[in-house]
Amino acid sequence: MSQKTETNHLFSEIRSRMPSADKPFLIIPGGESITYGEMVARSARFANALVGLGVKPGDRVAVQVEKSPAALFLYLGCVRAGAIFLPLNQAYTPAEIEYFLGDAKPTVFVCDPGKADALAPFAKAAGAALETLGKDSKGSLTDKAQAASPEFADVARGPDDLAAILYTSGTTGRSKGAMLSHENLASNARVLVEEWRFTGKDVLLHALPIFHTHGLFVATNVILFAGASMIFLAKFDADEIMTLMPQATTMMGVPTFYVRLVDHPRLTRDATAHMRLFISGSAPLLAETHREFEAKTGHAILERYGMTETNMNTSNPYDGDRIAGTVGFPLPGTDLRVTNPDTAAVLGPDEIGMIEVRGPNVFKGYWQNPEKTAAEFRADGFFITGDLGKVDASGYVHIVGRGKDLIITGGYNVYPKEIEGEIDAMPGVNESAVIGIAHRDFGEGVTAVVVPSKGATLSEAAIVKALEGRLAKFKQPKRVIIVDELPRNTMGKVQKNVLRETYKDLYKA
Ligand code: AMP
């Protein structure tokens, strides 16, 4: 796969855009600032340590560790060594890790020191050397890195060589490894820096996990490509974010961050007046959250849409209307179309169908899964995202849900988002998730799972009654279940697969 090249495609571009060596790259609250010069030295140490462990270009380095500066330098060290970085969610159980290691066959597996004993047998079975790296950036791999040289000659890699494999979050099926090339990552970072106007003056609040495309590639690569700085936080804490906000210019978050900030007493127009930009993605931002945030701060959150396989595809405009409930326009260089899922015919404005994308951001296929890869690409190179949506007459893209969440009841298609929108607008409702559950007469029965607002009491009968005049009969939920909270994964996505499993017998006699 490797082309003739003398440079490391991704890291050379990071180098070419680098500010002065003494400029902070990471600002660690209550701790050190780590400069760009240190970023180069520390990533070199990790690259040397990996080479010392036998890692060759194209080898996988699987990593299940807590968020830490060292984990970021390990990512960059992998890229520089020509290896393929393979980060794994900390929440994965040993049984899941066994699957990932067996599938990816990494040369090295790095885990938290506290998990090493439990995971050692799986590393051994997969033929991987086991190393550790803790939340405090300490561990056997750090020891090796510290003993290694801070100089490293970057391994030559071309644009199409792989830089990372990210397993999909698997809310609709078994996780698959998305193969991302150097140019997939570089092209997206380049475009996003331009679209969102990042410069060396920016300071980003970074409270996202770094095993996922959002915190790892969108946030980190954009900062590196802009030569900017980021305040690097172990996790999201609304109080801490409000305390650090005066030092920042921008923030990237998942919708739940914004839901929590809207409720925070210190979120005011004054507290955010100096901020340049708030960006949201990874799950739908409720139009209501968008409006509340704007009412309190004067800032219209910029929502964008992407996925593990494609990096970012669309974004609301920096200049121009950021429309609540939409994900904006396709990014420059990315083609987007909506098709009929059955016939693949391209649909017109406002027609709902499957979102397909093509561009330098789109991945190289699923790791060791040519069948799945072939099934999800069209002959002309478009990737079938699995998201249903439409493009409106002004060109804004709207997402109505995952294809697998579509409900077919009595032969009619029901888009959960439409029903959720009606329910969410009712007084006393915090949020809702609408799912299809097997039903003898209808195929699937529309079912709403609803979370009341704090202090509110809701009843199934009242919700059903309120929807009667608002929705066609076939769209009305057959049952409404009231719960305290919806199951979510670490990126804030509602796990409809979990809900479908929990209520699978609801309509069984
Ligand atoms: P992941 O691969 O974990 O990043 O998940 C990607 C999926 O998240 C997409 O296919 C969408 O279903 C969803 N997603 C990401 N951003 C948005 C957004 N702004 N609005 C709605 N859904 C989104």
Side-chain angles (χ1 to χ4, degrees):
M1 213 192 258
S2 133
Q3 299 90 18
K4 263 203 161 35
T5 171
E6 292 311 311
T7 60
N8 180 293
H9 189 73
L10 178 59
F11 203 76
S12 297
E13 184 154 355
I14 292 173
R15 281 182 189 279
S16 73
R17 291 165 166 268
M18 219 172 84
S20 66
D22 58 358
K23 165 137 196 206
F25 165 48
L26 300 183
I27 300 163
I28 317 292
E32 51 176 357
S33 272
I34 304 177
T35 63
Y36 271 85
E38 272 296 305
M39 177 277 285
V40 176
R42 293 193 198 190
S43 57
R45 290 182 188 277
F46 276 111
N48 279 316
L50 292 175
V51 170
L53 286 162
V55 171
K56 305 212 169 29
D59 283 4
R60 277 77 55 216
V61 175
V63 178
Q64 188 195 32
V65 298
E66 299 281 330
K67 184 176 178 180
S68 72
L72 266 195
F73 300 130
L74 174 55
Y75 151 55
L76 295 170
C78 265
V79 170
R80 295 180 65 182
I84 302 173
F85 186 63
L86 197 160
L88 295 162
N89 190 332
Q90 286 109 280
Y92 286 139
T93 61
E96 287 165 315
I97 294 297
E98 181 181 15
Y99 162 74
F100 291 119
L101 297 185
D103 192 48
K105 296 270 183 301
T107 306
V108 175
F109 172 50
V110 188
C111 73
D112 192 79
K115 292 185 180 167
D117 286 345
L119 298 176
F122 305 133
K124 190 161 183 234
L130 182 71
E131 294 290 334
T132 62
L133 175 61
K135 198 181 183 142
D136 53 4
S137 289
K138 297 197 176 118
S140 66
L141 189 64
T142 321
D143 293 345
K144 289 190 171 67
Q146 271 164 359
S149 163
E151 306 283 335
F152 183 79
D154 301 339
V155 171
R157 294 272 91 185
D160 287 335
D161 285 323
L162 298 186
I165 294 178
L166 254 58
Y167 278 84
T168 57
S169 51
T171 49
T172 46
R174 185 124 219 196
S175 279
K176 302 176 290 290
M179 300 190 286
L180 297 157
S181 70
H182 278 239
E183 178 60 4
N184 288 153
L185 303 182
S187 65
N188 214 229
R190 234 177 265 139
V191 164
L192 295 176
V193 165
E194 291 299 314
E195 286 296 294
W196 298 338
R197 313 280 195 275
F198 272 84
T199 70
K201 294 201 190 95
D202 275 306
V203 180
L204 177 81
L205 277 166
H206 189 302
L208 294 158
I210 54 167
F211 55 76
H212 182 267
T213 184
H214 194 168
L216 184 62
F217 299 141
V218 185
T220 306
N221 289 346
V222 162
I223 291 307
L224 287 166
F225 271 49
S229 308
M230 58 189 180
I231 304 176
F232 198 64
L233 301 163
K235 58 173 181 25
F236 177 84
D237 176 286
D239 275 332
E240 192 177 23
I241 292 282
M242 291 313 306
T243 303
L244 294 167
M245 200 167 288
Q247 298 172 42
T249 63
T250 51
M251 180 174 129
M252 292 186 194
V254 292
T256 34
F257 289 10
Y258 294 105
V259 170
R260 286 195 233 150
L261 285 178
V262 159
D263 285 339
H264 198 282
R266 282 192 274 142
L267 185 89
T268 60
R269 207 165 264 266
D270 280 352
T272 55
H274 68 289
M275 289 289 280
R276 190 175 69 73
L277 184 60
F278 291 93
I279 302 173
S280 176
S282 289
L285 179 75
L286 289 181
E288 184 193 336
T289 311
H290 190 282
R291 280 192 287 270
E292 285 175 359
F293 196 88
E294 189 164 13
K296 284 199 160 177
T297 64
H299 286 280
I301 298 171
L302 182 154
E303 185 171 8
R304 95 296 181 281
Y305 155 64
M307 59 198 303
T308 302
E309 289 94 328
T310 63
N311 298 283
M312 300 306 103
N313 295 312
T314 73
S315 172
N316 267 280
Y318 188 82
D319 299 314
D321 289 338
R322 299 176 195 162
I323 300 190
T326 82
V327 294
F329 306 113
L331 290 167
T334 299
D335 302 320
L336 182 145
R337 69 187 182 195
V338 176
T339 58
N340 177 319
D342 302 322
T343 64
V346 177
L347 300 175
D350 278 325
E351 290 183 303
I352 294 176
M354 178 61 70
I355 296 179
E356 300 185 4
V357 293
R358 182 175 67 183
N361 51 313
V362 176
F363 75 137
K364 299 287 166 197
Y366 293 111
W367 172 253
Q368 290 194 326
N369 205 335
E371 296 82 30
K372 196 83 198 158
T373 304
E376 299 198 8
F377 277 92
R378 302 272 182 217
D380 58 0
F382 274 85
F383 172 63
I384 306 164
T385 62
D387 288 315
L388 294 172
K390 65 174 186 182
V391 181
D392 68 22
S394 315
Y396 284 83
V397 177
H398 300 238
I399 298 186
V400 301
R402 291 293 295 166
K404 287 185 179 148
D405 294 334
L406 175 75
I407 303 168
I408 304 180
T409 182
Y412 292 108
N413 284 0
V414 174
Y415 298 101
K417 195 169 177 193
E418 183 188 356
I419 325 298
E420 288 159 5
E422 290 290 341
I423 297 176
D424 293 347
M426 290 179 187
V429 171
N430 177 8
E431 60 173 351
S432 62
V434 169
I435 50 172
I437 302 286
H439 190 293
R440 201 159 54 99
D441 300 332
F442 295 96
E444 284 183 303
V446 178
T447 309
V449 185
V450 182
V451 180
S453 314
K454 257 187 229 119
T457 345
L458 294 173
S459 78
E460 174 168 12
I463 294 178
V464 169
K465 182 133 191 45
L467 290 174
E468 269 170 14
R470 306 196 60 86
L471 291 171
K473 181 107 180 98
F474 73 93
K475 296 181 187 171
Q476 290 169 19
K478 307 227 166 337
R479 289 291 311 273
V480 176
I481 299 156
I482 316 282
V483 297
D484 290 339
E485 61 178 1
L486 297 174
R488 282 198 147 79
N489 72 8
T490 28
M491 294 311 290
K493 283 185 220 295
V494 174
Q495 292 167 303
K496 290 196 169 175
N497 52 338
V498 172
L499 288 174
R500 281 191 287 262
E501 179 61 25
T502 308
Y503 299 110
K504 66 177 190 299
D505 296 333
L506 194 66
Y507 299 111
K508 290 211 176 122

